[in-house]
Amino acid sequence: CSLEKLNKPSTAQPDPDISLALRAADDIDHVLAQPIPPPLATLLQAHLGKLSAAIPKGSPMPQGQTPTPTNAKSLHSALLSYIPQARSGQLALLLCSMAAALEQQQFRRLNHTLSPITSQDTLKGPVAALQTTLAAEHAAIYVLSACAAQTSRSKDRARWRSFDQAVSAHIRQRDALSLALGADQVPAEPAYALPEMNGPRAVDAAAHSAERACANTYGAQLAATPGDQRLWAEGALRLSAVRQLMLRGSPETFPGIA
């Protein structure tokens, strides 16, 4: 997924997405000016480069600037506030991906725990996108359940628990999608192809691959969904990005972008 250059600005009526991208880029610039850890600086420089590439040269900064973030936490909050405002689904996805990458950084540093998507986060969106996400949940549940079955609950409890928690999360999300879609929904396949699982590393790789595929699917759903209906896909992507670390994956610069 690549963010194409946004429309050229018009002096009469500036493109709202250009203004949004400019605000986000300016926010990142301000955080980069602060004393921050080198890994965070590297991440934000990559984010700034991606945003800047989509902004036409000569675009004027928007008036009425919101409070400027000074750290990763306030930048994260600002990015989340921009997601429903974006008219372009691809810009919304990029903003969400950047927020998810910040959450991966925080998770590694602070060892945060995950909370499920709340019932207040209404699940809406194009039916085709919801069906695709439901199909991904079916596959993830199958693969992650197989990973748990390949892991000793007594001898390797921490790893088994990470798989079990991931399965539970995807079951909750599958059920939410099923409820939203009603009777006409894509069913689970009788079985799914499994990779070789010869040893803990191979099992971890299979689990991480399944979770990463789901994150990309949530990203596609978010990009296809109107602004005021993106909350569920946004939450699913962000949680999935952090869950990848719980499954012994590595942080990504743009999680959820295939």
Side-chain angles (χ1 to χ4, degrees):
C1 167
S2 61
L3 179 67
E4 297 179 357
K5 190 173 285 291
L6 300 169
N7 296 328
K8 290 184 179 180
S10 164
T11 53
Q13 191 173 9
D15 187 316
D17 276 354
I18 293 177
S19 298
L20 203 60
L22 282 164
R23 287 207 303 270
D26 190 57
D27 289 346
I28 295 172
D29 252 337
H30 277 84
V31 176
L32 281 168
Q34 310 302 316
I36 58 177
L40 178 58
T42 300
L43 177 70
L44 293 184
Q45 285 163 356
H47 289 176
L48 182 59
K50 186 83 166 178
L51 271 174
S52 298
I55 300 171
K57 291 183 179 179
S59 301
M61 277 297 297
Q63 300 299 312
Q65 181 76 309
T66 53
T68 303
T70 56
N71 54 40
K73 183 177 180 180
S74 55
L75 174 60
H76 177 264
S77 296
L79 292 173
L80 294 185
S81 73
Y82 297 154
I83 293 169
Q85 300 178 46
R87 294 187 177 184
S88 161
Q90 296 302 323
L91 177 57
L93 171 55
L94 178 59
L95 295 168
C96 186
S97 178
M98 294 191 297
L102 288 173
E103 290 184 52
Q104 286 185 332
Q105 288 266 341
Q106 287 295 97
F107 180 83
R108 292 194 82 189
R109 190 167 67 87
L110 303 176
N111 195 27
H112 283 167
T113 56
L114 287 178
S115 299
I117 303 172
T118 64
S119 58
Q120 287 77 23
D121 295 347
T122 306
L123 208 175
K124 296 180 180 179
V127 171
L130 297 181
Q131 294 280 26
T132 299
T133 303
L134 178 57
E137 296 290 5
H138 288 320
I141 291 166
Y142 187 94
V143 174
L144 290 164
S145 296
C147 292
Q150 291 288 323
T151 305
S152 172
R153 182 175 182 177
S154 58
K155 295 180 181 179
D156 200 351
R157 185 167 181 80
R159 287 181 67 256
W160 176 87
R161 191 163 184 266
S162 69
F163 299 138
D164 185 62
Q165 288 178 332
V167 171
S168 296
H170 286 290
I171 288 174
R172 285 194 299 269
Q173 291 173 194
R174 177 204 63 192
D175 292 348
L177 286 157
S178 295
L179 184 62
L181 286 165
D184 186 17
Q185 56 185 263
V186 61
E189 298 291 338
Y192 294 83
L194 293 172
E196 292 291 332
M197 295 189 187
N198 298 322
R201 286 189 179 182
V203 174
D204 285 348
H208 179 250
S209 178
E211 191 61 58
R212 192 169 186 270
C214 275
N216 291 344
T217 304
Y218 304 141
Q221 179 185 332
L222 188 149
T225 303
D228 61 349
Q229 298 179 5
R230 292 175 180 146
L231 188 58
W232 190 92
E234 172 208 307
L237 192 160
R238 290 164 48 211
L239 289 176
S240 182
V242 176
R243 197 178 298 115
Q244 289 179 55
L245 303 188
M246 297 176 67
L247 295 170
R248 291 154 294 283
S250 300
E252 296 180 291
T253 306
F254 297 103
I257 296 182

